[in-house]
Amino acid sequence: MAPSGLLVTGASFAAFRGMHWGLQLLPTPRSAAQDRWKWRNICVSLVHSLLTGPGALLGLLLYPQMAADPIHGHPPWALVLVAISVVSCLSTAILSSHYVGFSMVSLLLELNSVCLNLRKLLLLSRQAPSLAFSVASWSTLATLALFRLVPLGWLSLWLIRQHHQVPPALVVLGGTGLVTVGTLSVIQGVRILVSDVLRSQPHSPIPGHKETRNTRTCCDGEPVLRDDPTLSLKD
């Protein structure tokens, strides 16, 4: 299975690279004209997430034995899906044909990546704030908790309980990856919660301060002068 897995890995890399090149031929929204490379990169990442995230969820629903036995229990096609999504921590599944169930559970994180990429595209398109952006933000937070933190917690617990079945090098590799991704996920979730939810809520008026016609209060509570086209002649 290793040669076929490596072949699929190479083919998927070429396909996504070709997609990135093909997007150069398509027009970029004016709002993202200064970040064309970033726009194309996020679009490719969105397609990747749409393929791997739902594919992993469907595979685990159809073949729950992959979660029951993350080391050996997997149908042959599951290795292909992992090959499409190969990264350093998933390459073990490609080379050894083991730990495919473990990799499939980790691919559930891509469901959250779908929402993250949609949110980034809306930001580049200057669609914040808007209803679509609010839906994307709340969906990002919900899927982050359900499809990112929960699978990471399950994988960490499984690795702790079954560490005697896993070579020490893979325990270190997997543990380091889980801790790193988990920490970054929590930080990212807090940032999105603060920037998209908490700061977007209306602030209560400051006691003793009245907003006049020529002033307004910005998000940090400081009064900001508005531009007045007329010139005051008062001393």
Coordinates of all heavy atoms in Angstrom, one line a residue, residues 26-116:
L26 N -7.9 33.5 -13.2 CA -9.2 34.0 -12.9 C -9.1 35.4 -12.3 O -8.1 35.7 -11.6 CB -9.9 33.1 -12.0 CG -10.2 31.6 -12.6 CD1 -10.9 30.8 -11.5 CD2 -11.0 31.7 -13.8
P27 N -10.1 36.2 -12.5 CA -10.1 37.6 -11.9 C -10.2 37.5 -10.3 O -10.9 36.6 -9.8 CB -11.3 38.3 -12.5 CG -12.2 37.2 -12.9 CD -11.3 36.0 -13.3
T28 N -9.5 38.4 -9.7 CA -9.5 38.5 -8.2 C -10.4 39.6 -7.8 O -10.4 40.7 -8.5 CB -8.1 38.7 -7.7 OG1 -7.2 37.7 -8.1 CG2 -8.1 38.7 -6.1
P29 N -11.2 39.5 -6.8 CA -12.0 40.6 -6.3 C -11.2 41.9 -6.1 O -10.1 41.8 -5.6 CB -12.7 40.1 -5.0 CG -12.7 38.6 -5.2 CD -11.4 38.3 -6.0
R30 N -11.8 43.0 -6.4 CA -11.0 44.3 -6.2 C -10.6 44.5 -4.8 O -9.5 45.0 -4.5 CB -11.9 45.5 -6.6 CG -12.2 45.6 -8.1 CD -13.0 46.8 -8.4 NE -13.3 46.9 -9.8 CZ -13.9 47.9 -10.4 NH1 -14.4 48.9 -9.6 NH2 -14.1 48.0 -11.7
S31 N -11.4 44.1 -3.8 CA -11.0 44.2 -2.4 C -9.8 43.4 -2.0 O -9.2 43.7 -1.0 CB -12.2 43.9 -1.5 OG -12.7 42.5 -1.8
A32 N -9.5 42.4 -2.8 CA -8.4 41.5 -2.5 C -7.3 41.7 -3.5 O -6.4 40.8 -3.6 CB -8.8 40.0 -2.4
A33 N -7.3 42.8 -4.3 CA -6.3 42.9 -5.3 C -4.9 43.0 -4.8 O -4.0 42.6 -5.5 CB -6.7 44.2 -6.1
Q34 N -4.7 43.6 -3.6 CA -3.4 43.7 -3.0 C -2.9 42.4 -2.3 O -1.8 42.3 -1.9 CB -3.4 44.8 -2.0 CG -3.6 46.2 -2.6 CD -3.6 47.3 -1.6 OE1 -3.5 47.1 -0.4 NE2 -3.6 48.5 -2.1
D35 N -3.8 41.4 -2.2 CA -3.5 40.2 -1.6 C -3.9 39.0 -2.5 O -4.5 38.1 -2.0 CB -4.2 40.0 -0.2 CG -3.7 41.1 0.8 OD1 -2.5 41.1 1.1 OD2 -4.5 41.9 1.2
R36 N -3.5 39.1 -3.7 CA -3.9 38.1 -4.7 C -3.4 36.7 -4.3 O -4.1 35.7 -4.4 CB -3.4 38.5 -6.1 CG -4.1 39.7 -6.6 CD -3.6 40.1 -8.0 NE -4.3 41.3 -8.5 CZ -4.0 41.8 -9.7 NH1 -3.1 41.3 -10.5 NH2 -4.7 42.9 -10.1
W37 N -2.1 36.6 -3.9 CA -1.5 35.3 -3.6 C -2.3 34.7 -2.4 O -2.6 33.5 -2.3 CB -0.1 35.5 -3.2 CG 0.6 34.2 -2.9 CD1 1.2 33.3 -3.7 CD2 0.7 33.6 -1.6 NE1 1.6 32.2 -3.1 CE2 1.3 32.3 -1.7 CE3 0.3 34.0 -0.3 CZ2 1.6 31.5 -0.6 CZ3 0.5 33.1 0.8 CH2 1.2 31.9 0.6
K38 N -2.6 35.6 -1.4 CA -3.3 35.1 -0.2 C -4.7 34.6 -0.6 O -5.2 33.6 0.0 CB -3.3 36.2 0.8 CG -3.9 35.8 2.2 CD -3.8 36.9 3.2 CE -4.4 36.5 4.6 NZ -4.3 37.6 5.5
W39 N -5.3 35.3 -1.4 CA -6.7 34.9 -1.9 C -6.6 33.6 -2.6 O -7.5 32.7 -2.2 CB -7.2 36.0 -2.8 CG -8.5 35.7 -3.5 CD1 -8.7 35.0 -4.7 CD2 -9.9 35.9 -3.0 NE1 -10.1 34.8 -4.9 CE2 -10.8 35.4 -3.9 CE3 -10.3 36.6 -1.8 CZ2 -12.1 35.5 -3.7 CZ3 -11.7 36.7 -1.6 CH2 -12.6 36.2 -2.6
R40 N -5.7 33.4 -3.5 CA -5.6 32.1 -4.1 C -5.2 31.0 -3.2 O -5.8 29.8 -3.2 CB -4.5 32.1 -5.2 CG -4.9 33.1 -6.4 CD -3.9 32.8 -7.6 NE -2.6 33.1 -7.2 CZ -2.0 34.3 -7.4 NH1 -2.6 35.3 -7.9 NH2 -0.7 34.4 -7.1
N41 N -4.4 31.2 -2.2 CA -3.9 30.2 -1.3 C -5.1 29.8 -0.4 O -5.3 28.6 -0.1 CB -2.8 30.8 -0.4 CG -2.1 29.7 0.4 OD1 -1.7 28.7 -0.1 ND2 -2.1 29.9 1.7
I42 N -5.9 30.7 0.0 CA -7.1 30.4 0.9 C -8.1 29.6 0.1 O -8.8 28.7 0.6 CB -7.7 31.7 1.5 CG1 -6.7 32.4 2.4 CG2 -9.0 31.4 2.2 CD1 -7.2 33.7 3.0
C43 N -8.3 30.0 -1.2 CA -9.3 29.3 -2.0 C -8.8 27.8 -2.2 O -9.7 26.9 -2.1 CB -9.4 29.9 -3.4 SG -10.2 31.5 -3.4
V44 N -7.6 27.6 -2.4 CA -7.1 26.2 -2.5 C -7.2 25.5 -1.2 O -7.6 24.3 -1.2 CB -5.6 26.2 -3.0 CG1 -5.0 24.8 -2.9 CG2 -5.5 26.8 -4.4
S45 N -6.9 26.1 -0.1 CA -7.1 25.5 1.2 C -8.5 25.2 1.5 O -8.9 24.2 2.1 CB -6.5 26.5 2.3 OG -6.7 25.9 3.6
L46 N -9.4 26.0 1.0 CA -10.9 25.8 1.2 C -11.3 24.5 0.5 O -12.0 23.7 1.0 CB -11.7 27.0 0.7 CG -13.2 26.8 0.8 CD1 -13.7 26.6 2.2 CD2 -13.9 28.1 0.2
V47 N -10.9 24.4 -0.8 CA -11.2 23.2 -1.5 C -10.6 21.9 -0.9 O -11.3 20.9 -0.8 CB -10.7 23.3 -3.0 CG1 -10.8 22.0 -3.8 CG2 -11.3 24.4 -3.7
H48 N -9.4 22.0 -0.4 CA -8.8 20.9 0.3 C -9.6 20.5 1.5 O -9.8 19.3 1.8 CB -7.3 21.3 0.7 CG -6.6 20.3 1.5 ND1 -6.7 20.2 2.9 CD2 -5.8 19.2 1.1 CE1 -5.9 19.2 3.3 NE2 -5.4 18.6 2.2
S49 N -10.0 21.5 2.3 CA -10.8 21.2 3.5 C -12.2 20.6 3.2 O -12.7 19.8 3.9 CB -11.0 22.5 4.3 OG -9.8 23.1 4.7
L50 N -12.8 21.1 2.1 CA -14.1 20.6 1.7 C -14.0 19.1 1.3 O -15.0 18.4 1.4 CB -14.7 21.4 0.5 CG -15.2 22.8 0.9 CD1 -15.5 23.6 -0.3 CD2 -16.4 22.7 1.8
L51 N -12.8 18.7 0.8 CA -12.7 17.3 0.4 C -12.3 16.4 1.5 O -12.9 15.4 1.7 CB -11.6 17.2 -0.7 CG -11.8 17.8 -2.1 CD1 -10.6 17.7 -2.9 CD2 -13.0 17.0 -2.7
T52 N -11.4 16.8 2.4 CA -10.9 16.0 3.4 C -11.8 16.0 4.7 O -12.0 14.9 5.3 CB -9.5 16.4 3.8 OG1 -9.5 17.8 4.2 CG2 -8.5 16.2 2.7
G53 N -12.3 17.1 5.1 CA -13.1 17.2 6.3 C -14.4 16.3 6.2 O -14.6 15.4 7.0
P54 N -15.3 16.6 5.3 CA -16.5 15.8 5.1 C -16.2 14.4 4.8 O -16.9 13.4 5.2 CB -17.2 16.5 4.0 CG -16.8 17.9 4.0 CD -15.3 17.8 4.4
G55 N -15.1 14.1 4.0 CA -14.7 12.8 3.7 C -14.3 12.0 4.9 O -14.7 10.8 5.0
A56 N -13.6 12.6 5.8 CA -13.2 11.9 7.1 C -14.4 11.6 7.9 O -14.5 10.6 8.5 CB -12.2 12.8 7.8
L57 N -15.3 12.6 8.0 CA -16.5 12.4 8.8 C -17.4 11.3 8.2 O -17.9 10.4 9.0 CB -17.3 13.7 8.9 CG -18.6 13.7 9.6 CD1 -18.4 13.4 11.1 CD2 -19.4 15.0 9.5
L58 N -17.6 11.3 6.9 CA -18.4 10.2 6.3 C -17.7 8.9 6.5 O -18.4 7.9 6.8 CB -18.5 10.5 4.8 CG -19.3 9.5 4.0 CD1 -20.7 9.4 4.5 CD2 -19.3 9.9 2.5
G59 N -16.4 8.8 6.4 CA -15.7 7.5 6.6 C -15.8 7.0 8.0 O -16.0 5.8 8.2
L60 N -15.7 7.9 9.0 CA -15.9 7.4 10.3 C -17.3 7.0 10.6 O -17.6 6.1 11.5 CB -15.5 8.5 11.3 CG -13.9 8.8 11.3 CD1 -13.6 10.1 12.1 CD2 -13.2 7.6 11.9
L61 N -18.3 7.6 10.0 CA -19.7 7.2 10.2 C -20.0 5.9 9.6 O -20.7 5.1 10.1 CB -20.6 8.3 9.6 CG -20.7 9.6 10.4 CD1 -21.6 10.6 9.6 CD2 -21.2 9.5 11.8
L62 N -19.4 5.6 8.4 CA -19.6 4.4 7.7 C -18.8 3.2 8.3 O -19.2 2.1 8.2 CB -19.3 4.5 6.2 CG -20.2 5.5 5.4 CD1 -19.8 5.6 4.0 CD2 -21.7 5.0 5.5
Y63 N -17.6 3.6 8.8 CA -16.6 2.6 9.3 C -16.2 3.0 10.7 O -15.0 3.4 10.9 CB -15.4 2.4 8.4 CG -15.8 1.9 7.0 CD1 -16.1 2.8 6.0 CD2 -15.9 0.5 6.7 CE1 -16.4 2.3 4.7 CE2 -16.2 0.0 5.5 CZ -16.5 1.0 4.5 OH -16.9 0.5 3.2
P64 N -17.0 2.8 11.7 CA -16.7 3.3 13.1 C -15.5 2.4 13.6 O -14.9 2.8 14.6 CB -18.0 3.1 13.8 CG -18.8 2.1 13.1 CD -18.4 2.3 11.6
Q65 N -15.2 1.3 13.0 CA -14.1 0.5 13.5 C -12.7 1.3 13.4 O -11.8 0.9 14.1 CB -14.0 -0.8 12.8 CG -13.5 -0.7 11.4 CD -14.7 -0.7 10.4 OE1 -15.8 -0.3 10.8 NE2 -14.5 -1.1 9.2
M66 N -12.7 2.3 12.6 CA -11.4 3.1 12.5 C -11.2 3.9 13.8 O -10.0 4.1 14.1 CB -11.5 4.0 11.3 CG -11.3 3.4 9.9 SD -11.1 4.5 8.6 CE -12.7 5.3 8.5
A67 N -12.3 4.3 14.4 CA -12.1 4.9 15.7 C -11.9 3.9 16.9 O -11.2 4.2 17.8 CB -13.3 5.8 16.0
A68 N -12.6 2.7 16.7 CA -12.4 1.7 17.7 C -11.0 1.1 17.7 O -10.4 0.8 18.8 CB -13.4 0.6 17.5
D69 N -10.4 1.0 16.5 CA -9.0 0.5 16.4 C -8.3 1.5 15.5 O -8.1 1.2 14.3 CB -9.0 -0.9 15.8 CG -7.6 -1.5 15.8 OD1 -6.7 -0.9 16.3 OD2 -7.5 -2.6 15.2
P70 N -7.8 2.6 16.0 CA -7.1 3.6 15.2 C -5.8 3.1 14.5 O -5.3 3.7 13.6 CB -6.8 4.7 16.2 CG -7.7 4.5 17.3 CD -7.9 3.0 17.4
I71 N -5.3 2.0 15.0 CA -4.0 1.5 14.4 C -4.2 0.6 13.2 O -3.6 0.9 12.2 CB -3.2 0.7 15.5 CG1 -2.9 1.6 16.7 CG2 -1.9 0.2 14.9 CD1 -2.1 0.9 17.8
H72 N -5.1 -0.4 13.3 CA -5.2 -1.4 12.2 C -6.5 -1.3 11.5 O -6.6 -1.8 10.4 CB -5.0 -2.8 12.8 CG -3.7 -3.0 13.5 ND1 -3.6 -2.9 14.9 CD2 -2.4 -3.2 13.1 CE1 -2.4 -3.1 15.2 NE2 -1.6 -3.3 14.2
G73 N -7.6 -0.8 12.1 CA -8.9 -0.9 11.5 C -9.2 0.2 10.5 O -9.4 1.3 10.9
H74 N -9.1 -0.2 9.2 CA -9.5 0.8 8.2 C -9.7 0.1 6.9 O -9.1 -0.9 6.6 CB -8.4 1.8 8.0 CG -7.1 1.2 7.4 ND1 -6.1 0.7 8.2 CD2 -6.7 1.1 6.1 CE1 -5.1 0.2 7.4 NE2 -5.4 0.5 6.2
P75 N -10.7 0.6 6.1 CA -10.9 0.0 4.7 C -9.8 0.6 3.8 O -9.1 1.6 4.1 CB -12.2 0.6 4.3 CG -12.4 1.9 5.1 CD -11.7 1.6 6.4
P76 N -9.5 -0.1 2.7 CA -8.4 0.3 1.8 C -8.5 1.7 1.3 O -7.5 2.4 1.2 CB -8.5 -0.7 0.6 CG -9.2 -1.9 1.2 CD -10.2 -1.3 2.2
W77 N -9.8 2.2 1.0 CA -9.9 3.6 0.5 C -9.5 4.7 1.4 O -9.2 5.8 1.0 CB -11.3 3.8 0.0 CG -12.3 3.7 1.1 CD1 -13.1 2.7 1.4 CD2 -12.7 4.8 2.0 NE1 -13.9 2.9 2.4 CE2 -13.7 4.2 2.8 CE3 -12.3 6.1 2.2 CZ2 -14.3 4.9 3.9 CZ3 -12.9 6.8 3.2 CH2 -13.9 6.3 4.0
A78 N -9.5 4.3 2.7 CA -9.2 5.4 3.7 C -7.8 5.9 3.6 O -7.5 7.0 3.9 CB -9.4 4.8 5.1
L79 N -6.9 5.0 3.2 CA -5.5 5.4 3.0 C -5.4 6.4 1.9 O -4.5 7.3 1.9 CB -4.6 4.2 2.7 CG -3.1 4.4 2.7 CD1 -2.7 4.8 4.1 CD2 -2.4 3.1 2.3
V80 N -6.2 6.3 0.9 CA -6.2 7.3 -0.2 C -6.6 8.7 0.3 O -5.9 9.7 0.0 CB -7.2 6.9 -1.3 CG1 -7.2 8.0 -2.4 CG2 -6.7 5.5 -1.9
L81 N -7.6 8.8 1.2 CA -8.0 10.1 1.7 C -6.9 10.7 2.6 O -6.6 11.9 2.5 CB -9.3 9.9 2.5 CG -9.8 11.2 3.2 CD1 -10.2 12.2 2.1 CD2 -11.0 10.9 4.1
V82 N -6.2 9.8 3.4 CA -5.1 10.3 4.2 C -4.0 10.8 3.3 O -3.3 11.8 3.6 CB -4.7 9.2 5.1 CG1 -3.4 9.7 5.9 CG2 -5.8 8.9 6.1
A83 N -3.8 10.1 2.2 CA -2.7 10.5 1.3 C -2.9 11.8 0.6 O -2.0 12.6 0.4 CB -2.6 9.4 0.1
I84 N -4.2 12.1 0.4 CA -4.5 13.5 -0.2 C -4.2 14.6 0.8 O -3.8 15.7 0.4 CB -6.0 13.5 -0.6 CG1 -6.3 12.5 -1.7 CG2 -6.5 14.9 -1.0 CD1 -7.8 12.4 -2.1
S85 N -4.3 14.3 2.1 CA -4.1 15.3 3.1 C -2.7 15.1 3.8 O -2.6 15.6 4.9 CB -5.2 15.1 4.2 OG -6.4 15.0 3.6
V86 N -1.8 14.4 3.2 CA -0.6 14.1 3.9 C 0.2 15.3 4.4 O 0.4 16.3 3.7 CB 0.3 13.2 3.1 CG1 0.8 14.0 1.9 CG2 1.5 12.6 3.9
V87 N 0.6 15.2 5.7 CA 1.6 16.1 6.3 C 2.5 15.3 7.1 O 2.4 14.1 7.1 CB 0.9 17.2 7.2 CG1 0.0 18.1 6.4 CG2 0.0 16.5 8.3
S88 N 3.4 15.9 7.8 CA 4.5 15.1 8.5 C 3.9 14.1 9.5 O 4.4 13.0 9.5 CB 5.4 16.1 9.3 OG 4.7 16.8 10.2
C89 N 2.9 14.5 10.2 CA 2.4 13.5 11.2 C 1.5 12.5 10.6 O 1.3 11.4 11.2 CB 1.6 14.3 12.3 SG 2.6 15.3 13.4
L90 N 1.0 12.7 9.4 CA 0.2 11.7 8.7 C 1.0 10.8 7.8 O 0.5 9.8 7.3 CB -0.9 12.4 7.9 CG -1.9 13.3 8.7 CD1 -3.0 13.8 7.8 CD2 -2.5 12.5 9.9
S91 N 2.3 11.1 7.6 CA 3.1 10.3 6.6 C 3.3 8.9 7.1 O 3.5 8.0 6.4 CB 4.4 11.0 6.4 OG 5.1 11.2 7.6
T92 N 3.2 8.7 8.5 CA 3.4 7.4 9.0 C 2.3 6.4 8.5 O 2.6 5.3 8.2 CB 3.3 7.4 10.6 OG1 4.4 8.3 11.0 CG2 3.5 6.1 11.2
A93 N 1.1 7.0 8.4 CA 0.0 6.1 7.9 C 0.2 5.8 6.5 O -0.1 4.6 6.0 CB -1.3 6.9 8.1
I94 N 0.8 6.7 5.7 CA 1.1 6.4 4.3 C 2.1 5.3 4.1 O 2.0 4.4 3.3 CB 1.5 7.7 3.5 CG1 0.4 8.7 3.7 CG2 1.7 7.4 2.1 CD1 -1.0 8.3 3.1
L95 N 3.2 5.4 4.9 CA 4.3 4.6 4.7 C 4.1 3.2 5.3 O 4.7 2.2 4.8 CB 5.6 5.2 5.3 CG 6.0 6.5 4.7 CD1 7.2 7.2 5.4 CD2 6.4 6.3 3.2
S96 N 3.4 3.1 6.4 CA 3.2 1.8 7.1 C 1.8 1.2 6.9 O 1.7 0.0 7.3 CB 3.5 2.0 8.6 OG 2.5 2.8 9.2
S97 N 0.9 1.9 6.4 CA -0.5 1.5 6.3 C -1.1 1.2 7.7 O -2.2 0.5 7.8 CB -0.6 0.2 5.4 OG -0.2 0.4 4.1
H98 N -0.6 1.7 8.7 CA -1.1 1.7 10.1 C -1.5 3.1 10.5 O -1.1 4.1 9.9 CB -0.2 1.0 11.0 CG 0.2 -0.4 10.7 ND1 -0.8 -1.3 10.3 CD2 1.4 -1.1 10.7 CE1 -0.2 -2.5 10.1 NE2 1.1 -2.4 10.3
Y99 N -2.2 3.2 11.6 CA -2.6 4.4 12.2 C -3.5 5.3 11.3 O -3.6 6.5 11.4 CB -1.4 5.3 12.6 CG -0.5 4.5 13.5 CD1 0.7 3.9 13.0 CD2 -0.7 4.4 14.9 CE1 1.6 3.2 13.8 CE2 0.1 3.6 15.7 CZ 1.3 3.1 15.2 OH 2.1 2.4 16.0
V100 N -4.2 4.6 10.3 CA -5.1 5.3 9.4 C -6.3 5.8 10.1 O -6.7 7.0 9.9 CB -5.5 4.4 8.2 CG1 -6.4 5.1 7.3 CG2 -4.2 4.0 7.5
G101 N -6.8 5.0 11.1 CA -7.9 5.5 11.9 C -7.6 6.7 12.7 O -8.4 7.7 12.8
F102 N -6.4 6.7 13.3 CA -5.9 7.9 14.0 C -5.8 9.1 13.1 O -6.2 10.2 13.5 CB -4.5 7.6 14.6 CG -4.0 8.5 15.6 CD1 -4.2 8.4 16.9 CD2 -3.3 9.7 15.2 CE1 -3.7 9.3 17.9 CE2 -2.8 10.6 16.1 CZ -3.0 10.4 17.5
S103 N -5.4 8.9 11.9 CA -5.2 10.0 11.0 C -6.6 10.5 10.5 O -6.8 11.7 10.3 CB -4.4 9.6 9.7 OG -3.1 9.2 10.1
M104 N -7.6 9.6 10.3 CA -8.9 10.0 9.9 C -9.6 10.8 11.0 O -10.3 11.8 10.6 CB -9.7 8.7 9.6 CG -9.3 8.0 8.4 SD -9.8 8.8 6.8 CE -11.5 8.4 6.8
V105 N -9.4 10.5 12.2 CA -10.0 11.3 13.3 C -9.4 12.7 13.3 O -10.1 13.7 13.4 CB -9.8 10.6 14.7 CG1 -10.3 11.5 15.8 CG2 -10.6 9.3 14.7
S106 N -8.1 12.7 13.1 CA -7.4 14.0 13.0 C -7.9 14.9 11.9 O -7.8 16.1 11.9 CB -5.9 13.8 13.0 OG -5.5 13.3 11.8
L107 N -8.3 14.2 10.8 CA -8.8 15.0 9.6 C -10.1 15.7 9.9 O -10.6 16.5 9.1 CB -8.9 14.1 8.4 CG -7.6 13.6 7.8 CD1 -7.8 12.7 6.6 CD2 -6.8 14.8 7.4
L108 N -10.8 15.3 11.0 CA -12.0 16.0 11.3 C -11.8 17.5 11.6 O -12.7 18.3 11.5 CB -12.7 15.4 12.6 CG -13.2 14.0 12.4 CD1 -13.8 13.5 13.7 CD2 -14.4 14.0 11.3
L109 N -10.5 17.8 11.9 CA -10.2 19.2 12.1 C -10.4 20.1 10.8 O -10.6 21.3 10.9 CB -8.7 19.4 12.5 CG -8.4 19.2 14.0 CD1 -8.7 17.7 14.5 CD2 -6.9 19.5 14.3
E110 N -10.4 19.4 9.7 CA -10.6 20.1 8.4 C -12.0 20.7 8.3 O -12.2 21.6 7.5 CB -10.3 19.2 7.2 CG -8.8 18.8 7.1 CD -7.9 20.0 6.8 OE1 -8.3 20.9 6.0 OE2 -6.9 20.1 7.4
L111 N -13.0 20.1 9.0 CA -14.3 20.7 9.0 C -14.3 22.1 9.6 O -15.0 23.0 9.2 CB -15.3 19.8 9.8 CG -15.6 18.5 9.2 CD1 -16.3 17.6 10.1 CD2 -16.4 18.7 7.9
N112 N -13.5 22.3 10.6 CA -13.3 23.7 11.2 C -12.5 24.6 10.2 O -12.8 25.8 10.1 CB -12.6 23.6 12.5 CG -12.3 25.0 13.1 OD1 -11.1 25.3 13.3 ND2 -13.3 25.8 13.3
S113 N -11.6 24.0 9.5 CA -10.8 24.7 8.5 C -11.7 25.3 7.4 O -11.4 26.4 6.8 CB -9.7 23.9 7.9 OG -8.8 23.5 8.9
V114 N -12.8 24.6 7.0 CA -13.7 25.1 6.0 C -14.3 26.5 6.5 O -14.3 27.5 5.7 CB -14.9 24.1 5.8 CG1 -16.0 24.7 4.9 CG2 -14.4 22.8 5.2
C115 N -14.7 26.5 7.7 CA -15.3 27.8 8.3 C -14.2 28.8 8.4 O -14.5 30.0 8.2 CB -16.0 27.5 9.6 SG -17.4 26.4 9.5
L116 N -13.0 28.4 8.8 CA -11.9 29.4 9.0 C -11.6 30.0 7.6 O -11.4 31.2 7.5 CB -10.7 28.7 9.5 CG -10.7 28.4 11.1 CD1 -9.5 27.6 11.4 CD2 -10.6 29.8 11.8

